[in-house]
Amino acid sequence: MIPLSLRYYRADSVDEALELFHKISHEHGKPIFYGGGTEILTRARVQDIDVDAVIDLKGIPALKIHQDKGGRLEFGAALHLTDVAEKNLWPLLTATADRVADHTSRGQITLGGNLLSILPYREAILPFLISDSATARVAGPNGVRTRPFSELFDETLRLSPGEFLISAGVDQDEALGPRFKSRKMTRIDWIDYPLVTVVVTRNPRGAIRAAFSGWTTYPFSSPRIDRALSDGKRSPEERAKEALHHMPAPAVSDIHGSREYREFVTEYTLAGMLRELEDTP
Amino acid sequence: MSIIGTSVQRKEARNKVSGRARYTNDLTIPGTWHAVVVPARQAHAHILSIDTEKAKQIAGVKAVITGDDVSVLTGDVIEDRPPLAKDKVRYWGEPIALIVARDEATAQRAAGMITVRYRPLPVINSIGDGIADNAALVHEKNGGYKVATPPAYPKKQTNIADEANVEKGDVERAWPGSDITVDIHVSLPQIDHAAMEPRVAKAEILPDGRVLIHCSSQAPFEVRKLIAKYFKLNPGQVVVEVPLVGGAFGGKSSVQLEVLAYIASKAVGGRVVKIVNTRETDMASCPGGMGLEADISLAARQDGHLLAAKMRFYMDIGAYTDSAPRVARAIAAQCTGPYHIANLHTDVFCVYTNHTYTTALRGFGHMPMTFAVERAMDELAQKLNMDPLRLREINALKPGQLTPTKARLTESNLGHLPLTIYKMRELIGWKQGKVERVGEHRVRVQGVAAFWKTSSSPPNAISGAIITMNSDGSVNLSIGAVEFGPATKTTAAQILAAQLRIPLDKVFVHEDVNTHVDPEHWKTVASMSTYMVGRAVIDAANDIINQLKSLGAAVLRCSPDDLDFGDEKVYVRDDPSIALKFSQLALGYKYKEGDSIGGQLIGRGRFMIRHLNLLDQQTGKGRPGPAWTVGVQAVEVEYDQNTHQYRILKAASVVDAGRVINPAAARGQLMGGMNMGLGVASREGIHYGHDGQFLNNQFRSYRVMRVGEQADEYLIDFVETPQIDAPFGARPLGEHGILAIGAALANALSRAAGVPLNTLPITPEAIWRARRHQS
């Protein structure tokens, strides 16, 4: 039960959504863009969100784009995580997106909602963080722009009030070229928030890239970590240990696990993934 | 074939699986208003002021009630709990105000408008904090509250709400004669019952003075008794109705929300008011399951025979006592586990903390107690280099021996633990607890633990049954036990069908309980329904059989002694062709000429527990229950020595069930119990922040075992040593699946990891930490 009074709007186009947001804000309303609604619902029922209008974006065709065209993979922000997994255009994205929450929730959660979640995990973002060609199409008061992920991402995708994500894309070559591993490590359960989720890719030349979620309050990747992991002269265990020295922030301690335990889990997980990626031809 | 011992589908199964079964919140009377609890957001603080003005101004808000408006103190044993916090708050989540509004959303919005000014006090955030010298007091008035149901021995100027002791033999003299000793300390967090249906209560006060309560409760008669007592009403004025309950696990044996619903209704002129818990409220504001710390020392001979034991149990009961003194005595009375220990000293303390208060939870203290004792037993087996099942076998209590509280044991009241151990060896493929290597870093190992439990019921617990007969000779059965999952009503129907020798589909059980029409049943707790209700049903069945025979005798012009019955007829013993159908007698017998005799056949039956007594405070001497159920449980795990991840391959139980009445239901109970116990042992636990905040009052953070995470295989077998005074010899087994399975898991993992694991829950991190601590 949501104790808030909410007005519901469904936008049929990007422009209509932008206009609605502008109009409601102008009339001193507190609008929020709405995709799957799982976070709005769970926060609203405990009165942890201050909104009075939702603008549903799921009816906008551009947000449902889901294609492999002209060497680019495009994923609309309103795709459900189960859609992404079922079509499986980008197996690495499937691997991360398909481990969020449980199947029932993934049928509700949208890709955009996960990428822009207020929770620290946002695991579907990890593949984009280690893809140089990743871009985001963002709609805002100044129109629609396509920008590199790297420009927009600083701990989270930095969207301004009134902006929303239309879709995210990546070059097919970059996405499908490298071999990859993805592991979600939890306290004990299959379905839980991650202690750490690790994504590792290895291109044919042996260069390693890695991205992490759950370690700290935001997902991240780092060239320094990638360099440490790519040093083929050292054993996977040594490289994993070294990588932990280059994390951008200390591991968090919370009810899922302590800082020290996160370090332990991340280290052996990373070492095991490197070994698997490099052992098999 | 007898219906006893036959697997039958529970009576309400089809309604449940089709979504048509009705629970308390499924029916709403038009015009019902909603009440919402405003929870404290401090764990221990003086209340300086509560500003209700803004909330009252919201359109649709009908009343705002705070502790200053309510003068009663409540509590099952010690009356220490105001329904709404007064002067101070003692746990995060404690109800501090109640909002009544025209609908739930309005009440929730208004709840967010209440502002409370607190002056924080030092938080008693653990048992250690509670028993420290000069600890802040959770209750300044401890020792001054009314003890409503003795015994309870609170210690003034401390946080000890009660203590229970057991003394047997002479520990100090026996100790030096031992060859080997073990000492362990165990620590278990508070847990939640996690019933699928959160608690809900509705109350209305009619102009004629009657109070109608609808609630999701295991104890409708207790609700009636306490509401009448707290608000000075005649018990007959209070009518409590309980439909099907969506899981309870002891958490609904406590009376809390019903009192709040009554207060809310009273504040708005008696109108129907409903309180429906959110999951968050159900966990943080309503009672959970206790935490425990215990020190266990065992002394034994080289051959494994136990000589003496010293035990201290400290229960984290939270901020109010509720049923804790009863649980403490249950722990004291069964503290040895099912083993004979001639010399024993045990102290059990109920420690007040600034945690959510606690109540009964499946097993009534026996699960945490068993964990402590069975961990100690396994450490002893390892020290002795002895087969852990063998150690348990040679120490098993036998008929003729005395329990810790010196109750005499017989084959009937004890059952046969060695036989369950014998069967377990086969069931799980016992490998003596040896660690078996199955991969580079992977090992498999089995762990075992045994249990016993009795009812710890009050010595005057009662039950009743009323049978009315329908025109076709079928019967309606009315009992006071509620149905919350274990097929209580179906078992009662099976017993009645067997006793009347009629098909089960000729027995219709009243599904709801209504205190106005159903006979009183103590509480649906302690796995006692089959025993108590069953005895009352047999008594009522015999009553109706006598009526059938006596009316039949008049019609057939013979003595009732000449008659026997079966196949829905009474017939002359030596010439069964002279017979009357039950249907001819059910509503009286009508002669050919039209004149009639008899009337509706109505059977009444009752039962009262006998020969129990309260435990003596000094020596602990006393008889805590009519009989025990014993059993042994085992777990097989596969453990990764590098990552400390593990998988539960097998979970097994062999229980002396006395007589299995409904095999499918019995297996279901044990399987569910094992799964719950494994969940508790592997992942459950309430997290309190440094300031006493309840951190995980949602299922996204309070982890219970989910589908796919359960053991690969559940194995169940029974031994049947009849309990002579029980219906068809059946022993209680509703709670028992949970009792020792967590200890069995800990024993297996302790062997696998090579380090004692004495703290729950046993997550991979806990194993990693224990191993790091050791090295």
Side-chain angles (χ1 to χ4, degrees), chain B residues 486-775:
Chain B
T488 304
K489 302 274 191 188
T490 306
T491 304
Q494 278 181 279
I495 291 171
L496 180 54
Q499 204 66 13
L500 292 181
R501 303 175 194 163
I502 60 175
L504 185 61
D505 60 12
K506 289 284 180 78
V507 179
F508 300 91
V509 197
H510 185 206
E511 195 167 81
D512 303 355
V513 171
N514 179 331
T515 59
H516 200 58
V517 293
D518 293 311
E520 182 149 346
H521 176 72
W522 163 53
K523 296 175 190 174
T524 313
V525 298
S527 312
M528 287 294 276
S529 304
T530 299
Y531 178 66
M532 295 180 58
V533 172
R535 284 284 300 265
V537 167
I538 289 173
D539 193 36
N542 290 339
D543 186 26
I544 219 158
I545 290 163
N546 287 338
Q547 292 175 40
L548 283 162
K549 284 184 179 173
S550 120
L551 182 57
V555 175
L556 298 174
R557 299 177 211 185
C558 63
S559 154
D561 291 345
D562 289 330
L563 297 179
D564 201 349
F565 68 102
D567 203 16
E568 299 173 72
K569 289 176 203 158
V570 286
Y571 56 84
V572 174
R573 207 183 296 276
D574 50 294
D575 182 0
S577 69
I578 307 171
L580 289 165
K581 290 181 187 159
F582 284 3
S583 58
Q584 291 176 279
L585 302 170
L587 301 180
Y589 181 77
K590 190 171 158 193
Y591 288 97
K592 267 200 252 37
E593 295 76 6
D595 54 336
S596 305
I597 56 166
Q600 186 177 20
L601 300 188
I602 302 174
R604 48 173 206 160
R606 57 189 190 172
F607 176 73
M608 188 164 204
I609 292 253
R610 64 163 156 81
H611 294 173
L612 302 193
N613 36 51
L614 303 170
L615 307 187
D616 181 271
Q617 185 61 13
Q618 256 63 52
T619 62
K621 196 168 185 303
R623 181 166 203 88
W628 285 262
T629 303
V630 295
V632 63
Q633 300 188 293
V635 166
E636 184 170 317
V637 293
E638 185 170 308
Y639 166 76
D640 185 313
Q641 292 170 315
N642 280 0
T643 65
H644 315 298
Q645 311 263 351
Y646 63 88
R647 168 132 202 100
I648 303 170
L649 305 175
K650 291 179 187 171
S653 295
V654 183
V655 179
D656 191 339
R659 177 78 193 272
V660 180
I661 290 185
N662 185 347
R667 297 174 71 86
Q669 277 303 107
L670 287 168
M671 204 181 292
M674 284 195 274
N675 199 59
M676 189 172 173
L678 291 172
V680 167
S682 60
R683 63 240 305 136
E684 291 188 36
I686 296 172
H687 288 278
Y688 290 99
H690 63 91
D691 54 357
Q693 179 180 348
F694 194 127
L695 294 176
N696 56 337
N697 57 338
Q698 293 184 321
F699 282 144
R700 63 166 76 188
S701 44
Y702 183 93
R703 309 302 303 179
V704 295
M705 204 179 260
R706 292 170 191 232
V707 173
E709 293 161 350
Q710 75 276 19
D712 292 354
E713 238 186 310
Y714 288 92
L715 306 166
I716 291 158
D717 204 351
F718 297 103
V719 165
E720 298 193 347
T721 312
Q723 178 189 335
I724 293 165
D725 59 323
F728 303 95
R731 292 173 194 279
L733 52 73
E735 298 160 285
H736 301 68
I738 202 174
L739 297 179
I741 200 78
L745 176 70
N747 290 342
L749 287 170
S750 296
R751 284 165 186 268
V755 59
L757 299 169
N758 296 332
T759 300
L760 291 187
I762 306 177
T763 56
E765 177 168 8
I767 304 174
W768 171 78
R769 193 169 292 284
R771 283 178 56 94
R772 231 175 43 145
H773 186 73
Q774 192 188 43
S775 60

Side-chain angles (χ1 to χ4, degrees), chain B residues 404-487:
Chain B
T405 65
K406 303 192 183 87
R408 199 158 40 80
L409 294 167
T410 65
E411 186 174 87
S412 168
N413 73 19
L414 177 63
H416 212 308
L417 181 64
L419 265 180
T420 66
I421 290 173
Y422 178 82
K423 280 201 166 181
M424 179 56 86
R425 286 200 175 94
E426 180 141 334
L427 186 66
I428 192 136
W430 178 237
K431 297 188 180 106
Q432 282 92 34
K434 290 198 175 64
V435 178
E436 190 187 359
R437 187 156 292 284
V438 293
E440 206 185 332
H441 316 292
R442 305 183 84 77
V443 293
R444 282 189 186 183
V445 65
Q446 297 167 335
V448 291
F451 64 79
W452 72 331
K453 186 186 179 296
T454 188
S455 63
S456 305
S457 42
N460 61 348
I462 59 170
S463 191
I466 295 169
I467 303 164
T468 55
M469 199 169 256
N470 300 316
S471 60
D472 64 344
S474 65
V475 289
N476 312 304
L477 174 62
S478 165
I479 56 174
V482 302
E483 180 62 65
F484 49 74

Side-chain angles (χ1 to χ4, degrees), chain B residues 174-236:
Chain B
W175 210 264
S178 64
D179 300 320
I180 194 162
T181 61
V182 293
D183 303 283
I184 66 155
H185 178 82
V186 304
S187 178
L188 287 70
Q190 283 190 349
I191 53 175
D192 189 72
H193 300 87
M196 217 186 287
E197 178 202 27
R199 295 164 176 98
V200 47
K202 292 184 253 183
E204 70 179 304
I205 306 165
L206 294 174
D208 68 6
R210 275 186 305 152
V211 176
L212 307 186
I213 309 266
H214 288 75
C215 53
S216 177
S217 173
Q218 293 172 263
F221 295 91
E222 188 77 1
V223 172
R224 178 178 70 173
K225 183 180 100 181
L226 293 180
I227 296 272
K229 177 177 143 182
Y230 297 148
F231 302 103
K232 301 187 171 50
L233 303 164
N234 182 321

Side-chain angles (χ1 to χ4, degrees), chain B residues 118-132:
Chain B
Y118 297 103
R119 192 171 69 233
L121 292 163
V123 174
I124 302 298
N125 207 9
S126 65
I127 288 166
D129 288 352
I131 58 176

Side-chain angles (χ1 to χ4, degrees), chain A residues 16-30:
Chain A
E16 191 186 355
L18 292 169
E19 275 162 31
L20 277 167
F21 193 94
H22 176 76
K23 181 165 170 285
I24 298 163
S25 305
H26 194 70
E27 291 161 358
H28 305 292
K30 297 171 203 160

